[in-house]
Amino acid sequence: MKERILGQLEPAGVFRFFEDLTRIPRGSGHTRAVSDYCAAFARERGLKVRQDEHNNVIIWKDGTGGLEDRPAVILQGHLDMVLAKTPDCSLDMEREGLQIEVTEDGFVRAKGTTLGADNGIAVAMILALLDDGSIPHPPLEAVFTSDEEIGLLGAAALDCSDLRGRVMMNLDSEEEGYLTVGCAGGARCDIQRNLRAERSQGTLCRVTFSGFAGGHSGMEIGRGRANTNQLTARLLTAVEQVSPVRLVRLEGGKLDNAITAHTEAEFLLSGDAEQAREAAQAWWQEERRSFADTDGAGDMVWEELGSADLEACTEADSRLAAALLCRLPSGVIAMSQDIPGLVETSANFGVLLLEQGHLQATVSVRSSLNHAWKGLLADMESIAGEYGAAFSSRGEYPAWEYRKESRLRPLMVEVYRELFGQEPVVETIHAGLECGIFCDKIPGLDSVSFGPQLYDVHTPRERMSVASVQRTWDYLLHILARL
């Protein structure tokens, strides 16, 4: 048997299962192997299990230690992880296991890659609990979902009709001492339009916005950072005031849920290129003042590539495209009236692409109120219609609205206070968690999300605190004994 890298760490069962998971490639969209691992785990222990065609797994275990007659408790985490690695890392993450290590300062990390503690540590804790017959707990319903990282797809497809629990602990939070009790819902929308093209002559220019901070479109949308797709649309409108513009290419952003930090635009100018450049620079000097304190490292670069004779979008359709893109919302739309400092509703213009006359824009919308993000989708559909563009939405997920009456939340606060001598932070977040989907599917579900301390998730710098895992495990066992 391969030597255990985490074999000396406690709690032993948690780290044993976590190390098993690091040996299974489980990137989003490729979760069959890890799903089979969980299903086999259940069958080997004689536990009831259901595995569906989406690679979701549910495992049931009876209560133990005198808690057999208590109401069932749902424990939930997701199976998939984000695959990212450093440029010099040769590991094939789609086929090979991770190369993990324990650092001298008490962290588990992977060499050159993401660790997958988001959300492998949740799966490991739940498996360790199911595996240990000595731990008192009520009846458990362990729910492992697939493809959370690419749109909560497994949870959305899961049949919950055989779940009896009405209390759920989700272990997909990344800050110890924080109890999440609500999150945003939302959707992605695509706006597309074909632009007429013709053979055109003029000065070919390229404008690049780069060096911006970007970030998560939920957690960091309220920090005043620039969105380079939005900047590009505004720039084109400014340049059009002094010279006709014929678009050739637009490209910005790869992920709708990331604030776009790099966008390029190429276009032909039939007017005075020097005058256009001066207008662009004057516009930029004013525009950048709005985020100088929050995102001042980014910049705009204007390049004149010389005279050109090529296929480009017509002047009229280029003007229409710029106007359409300027109308798309991006950034904070509304702040919460109930929770100070919480972004309630936002939009993120995450992806922009124009090639061969086909324009596509993708916007991610979020809100802690379901009617608000649905209303924002309706507004964008109306905007698309005004410009003759096609509109579609996908990946809708409901908001997890704050539950004023809760049995679980005050108990978790009380247990945390007793164990650690301080108050946990109880919060709602402007990001999507699977709890919203489960609360929508299971009437009356009372849910809280928590987890151990993780750093730099979704990057090769990802690391997990060993001591925090130990404390979180102890916290989980105490909660289960009290439920």
Side-chain angles (χ1 to χ4, degrees):
M1 178 179 288
K2 188 176 180 180
E3 181 182 355
R4 289 275 176 182
I5 305 299
L6 309 182
Q8 302 304 310
L9 300 182
E10 294 289 342
V14 173
F15 284 106
R16 173 165 55 87
F17 286 113
F18 182 77
E19 184 164 351
D20 282 353
L21 293 171
T22 67
R23 297 175 178 177
I24 305 172
R26 52 189 177 91
S28 301
H30 301 280
T31 56
R32 187 66 191 183
V34 68
S35 176
D36 287 345
Y37 169 86
C38 292
F41 163 95
R43 288 192 292 268
E44 289 167 4
R45 289 156 180 81
L47 300 175
K48 177 184 174 183
V49 61
R50 173 163 66 83
Q51 181 182 28
D52 68 18
E53 65 272 24
H54 304 283
N55 298 331
N56 298 306
V57 176
I58 302 177
I59 302 173
W60 287 263
K61 184 183 179 185
D62 293 337
T64 62
L67 304 179
E68 291 84 355
D69 60 347
R70 303 285 179 89
V73 174
I74 301 172
L75 300 176
Q76 192 264 320
H78 65 84
L79 298 170
D80 60 317
M81 64 175 284
V82 170
L83 303 185
K85 62 181 182 178
T86 58
D88 59 345
C89 178
S90 61
L91 188 75
D92 184 347
M93 297 184 72
E94 295 184 356
R95 294 177 175 81
E96 299 178 89
L98 307 180
Q99 298 176 357
I100 60 172
E101 62 180 355
V102 182
T103 67
E104 292 183 358
D105 53 351
F107 291 91
V108 177
R109 64 181 295 274
K111 299 176 183 178
T113 69
T114 42
L115 175 64
D118 175 16
N119 191 220
I121 191 58
V123 178
M125 284 187 175
I126 298 169
L127 291 176
L129 188 58
L130 296 173
D131 189 53
D132 192 331
S134 67
I135 299 173
H137 59 73
L140 299 179
E141 299 178 323
V143 179
F144 304 123
T145 52
S146 64
D147 300 334
E148 187 268 355
E149 301 288 4
I150 53 175
L152 317 182
L153 302 183
L158 181 65
D159 176 5
C160 296
S161 62
D162 50 2
L163 292 175
R164 296 292 173 259
R166 291 301 179 266
V167 167
M168 184 179 87
M169 285 185 280
N170 164 283
L171 281 76
D172 192 18
S173 290
E174 299 153 10
E175 289 185 274
E176 184 184 1
Y178 284 73
L179 305 181
T180 302
V181 295
C183 73
R188 296 156 172 81
C189 67
D190 298 303
I191 296 172
Q192 302 183 63
R193 195 185 194 284
N194 290 321
L195 306 180
R196 293 171 296 172
E198 61 185 10
R199 198 74 186 180
S200 304
Q201 296 178 337
T203 303
L204 181 62
C205 298
R206 179 191 297 135
V207 174
T208 304
F209 291 96
S210 63
F212 295 85
H216 190 284
S217 68
M219 304 302 291
E220 292 162 319
I221 198 75
R223 296 188 177 181
R225 296 177 180 176
N227 182 302
T228 56
N229 287 341
Q230 191 176 50
L231 290 177
T232 299
R234 292 175 180 169
L235 165 77
L236 294 172
T237 300
V239 173
E240 285 173 350
Q241 304 304 310
V242 297
S243 173
V245 171
R246 291 178 172 83
L247 293 174
V248 176
R249 182 179 69 89
L250 300 171
E251 185 172 357
K254 302 294 184 184
L255 300 171
D256 59 84
N257 64 352
I259 301 170
T260 314
H262 183 102
T263 305
E264 292 184 3
E266 291 184 1
F267 48 86
L268 285 176
L269 294 175
S270 55
D272 188 327
E274 179 65 19
Q275 186 179 7
R277 182 187 64 78
E278 291 176 355
Q281 294 290 356
W283 167 85
W284 177 233
Q285 292 306 312
E286 288 296 314
E287 183 74 22
R288 71 189 309 175
R289 291 169 60 185
S290 63
F291 48 82
D293 294 333
T294 57
D295 206 357
D299 204 358
M300 180 191 80
V301 175
W302 175 289
E303 301 173 88
E304 293 172 15
L305 306 179
S307 299
D309 181 346
L310 46 73
E311 283 284 314
C313 299
T314 65
E315 180 183 336
D317 275 13
S318 296
R319 188 183 309 113
L320 179 147
L324 167 60
L325 298 177
C326 279
R327 292 279 304 279
L328 297 181
S330 193
V332 176
I333 307 299
M335 300 296 292
S336 172
Q337 299 298 305
D338 299 319
I339 303 174
L342 175 68
V343 176
E344 180 184 273
T345 305
S346 73
N348 181 61
F349 184 0
V351 181
L352 170 63
L353 184 64
L354 169 66
E355 56 182 4
Q356 298 181 340
H358 182 70
L359 177 70
Q360 177 175 333
T362 301
V363 180
S364 172
V365 301
R366 301 175 189 265
S367 180
S368 52
L369 301 176
N370 283 316
H371 76 268
W373 67 259
K374 291 178 181 179
L376 196 52
L377 285 183
D379 290 344
M380 281 192 283
E381 184 172 12
S382 178
I383 291 170
E386 291 179 33
Y387 293 90
F391 173 92
S392 60
S393 63
R394 55 193 167 91
E396 297 187 0
Y397 56 99
W400 173 21
E401 298 190 6
Y402 176 76
R403 181 186 177 99
K404 293 183 179 180
E405 299 297 327
S406 168
R407 172 189 172 214
L408 178 61
R409 182 178 66 248
L411 174 62
M412 292 185 67
V413 170
E414 180 182 339
V415 172
Y416 192 91
R417 186 190 304 123
E418 292 173 357
L419 283 178
F420 306 117
Q422 62 187 42
E423 295 291 317
V425 176
V426 179
E427 66 173 3
T428 65
I429 60 173
H430 193 65
L433 283 173
E434 292 168 299
C435 298
I437 292 176
F438 285 102
C439 287
D440 190 58
K441 290 187 174 190
I442 303 174
L445 185 66
D446 189 1
S447 183
V448 174
S449 178
F450 70 107
Q453 188 67 48
L454 310 180
Y455 297 92
D456 295 321
V457 298
H458 299 185
T459 79
R461 302 184 303 279
E462 181 182 1
R463 59 199 185 279
M464 176 175 65
S465 165
V466 173
S468 182
V469 171
Q470 294 167 347
R471 289 189 295 268
T472 303
W473 173 250
D474 193 34
Y475 181 44
L476 172 62
L477 298 191
H478 276 78
I479 296 166
L480 288 171
R482 294 276 294 275
L483 274 171

